[in-house]
Amino acid sequence: MPTEVAVSTQDVELVELDVCQLNSVASLLFQTYQNDALMQRIFQADKADYEKRLRAAIREELIAQWDNGQPIIAAMHEEALLGVVCLSKVEHQFGPTSRWNWYISMLLTAGWVSTRYVLDKERQIKSLLKDQPCYLISFIGVAEQYQHQGIGQLLCQAALQESVERGGVKQLAVFTSDQQQQTFFNRCGFTQQHAVDVHDVPGALLTLNVD
């Protein structure tokens, strides 16, 4: 377990991701999601090479978001990456044209079953959003040694501010299958709109109005 490193939120800089940081962000997000129940179901944790499939999926999602100009906001302190939040406008997250390269790459790296599970999850979430213009938090994570210091809240605030500044959306949404994460999002002002079972994993779709 990494030794906790104290950082004041006043010293944290929120910046849009530089492409050279993609590998570092992918590694941080892998550490965040490797024990997530839904990720374990989608990427078949009971089979060999689970970690390889999950790493590949995270990497391909980050590349797709970068290519589509979707916000990836990093929390930095000096040269250290503390955390990250990734936003996808629903029309980009679920649009078949913009996702074609992602789809092919996912088939080659994560396999057909995992790719189908991801697409099923996306369709289910989109149906619940009912075509409301919104940004979806696709990933959020804080490096273990910097947790419990308010950095996650900073990232949520940055996600909301980015949604306001880019305009054209009414909500910020997030899906989580982790009760601790749900409690965190509730503290950040999100409210549960739907209880959702995705591939037999219970979760919740939460939203926050963008004013």
Side-chain angles (χ1 to χ4, degrees):
M1 181 176 179
T3 302
E4 182 176 313
V5 178
V7 175
S8 169
T9 54
Q10 294 180 345
D11 297 327
V12 175
E13 185 180 8
L14 296 166
V15 298
E16 290 210 26
L17 184 78
D18 188 283
V19 67
C20 67
Q21 296 172 300
L22 279 178
N23 287 337
S24 298
V25 168
S27 179
L28 186 156
L29 291 173
F30 171 79
Q31 296 300 324
T32 300
Y33 287 96
Q34 64 176 324
N35 295 318
D36 181 90
L38 182 58
M39 293 297 188
Q40 290 181 336
R41 178 75 176 92
I42 288 176
F43 297 104
Q44 305 171 85
D46 58 333
K47 299 186 183 300
D49 295 327
Y50 161 68
E51 293 188 358
K52 181 179 179 181
R53 286 190 294 277
L54 179 57
R55 286 183 187 276
I58 290 171
R59 184 178 63 251
E60 295 304 331
E61 183 64 34
L62 288 172
I63 291 171
Q65 291 202 205
W66 176 265
D67 287 345
N68 282 288
Q70 298 302 286
I72 304 175
I73 303 168
M76 305 291 296
H77 179 248
E78 298 176 350
E79 298 297 319
L81 174 65
L82 314 185
V84 67
V85 61
C86 306
L87 304 178
S88 293
K89 202 168 185 180
V90 168
E91 63 194 51
H92 288 278
Q93 177 78 7
F94 304 108
T97 302
S98 64
R99 300 281 277 174
W100 179 249
N101 289 338
W102 169 90
Y103 178 72
I104 296 299
S105 297
M106 280 287 290
L107 285 176
L108 293 173
T109 56
W112 162 242
V113 173
S114 294
T115 302
R116 178 170 60 85
Y117 281 0
V118 171
L119 293 173
D120 288 346
K121 182 196 81 168
E122 292 186 349
R123 280 191 289 266
Q124 194 169 351
I125 293 173
K126 184 179 182 181
S127 69
L128 293 172
L129 292 171
K130 298 179 180 177
D131 297 322
Q132 281 274 13
C134 75
Y135 272 110
L136 181 74
I137 295 178
S138 50
F139 292 120
I140 185 169
V142 176
E144 190 172 357
Q145 63 268 38
Y146 300 109
Q147 292 178 3
H148 310 296
Q149 300 185 65
I151 295 167
Q153 287 90 335
L154 281 182
L155 290 168
C156 274
Q157 292 168 10
L160 178 60
Q161 183 63 32
E162 187 74 15
S163 300
V164 170
E165 290 178 359
R166 293 208 174 202
V169 298
K170 295 182 178 180
Q171 291 182 325
L172 183 61
V174 64
F175 173 82
T176 179
S177 58
D178 182 275
Q179 185 59 51
Q180 189 174 356
Q181 280 194 8
Q182 185 173 342
T183 300
F184 162 76
F185 285 116
N186 288 152
R187 290 201 306 268
C188 291
F190 287 78
T191 56
Q192 180 175 329
Q193 300 301 317
H194 302 279
V196 189
D197 280 3
V198 178
H199 295 295
D200 300 320
V201 176
L205 181 64
L206 302 95
T207 61
L208 178 64
N209 288 334
V210 175
D211 297 322

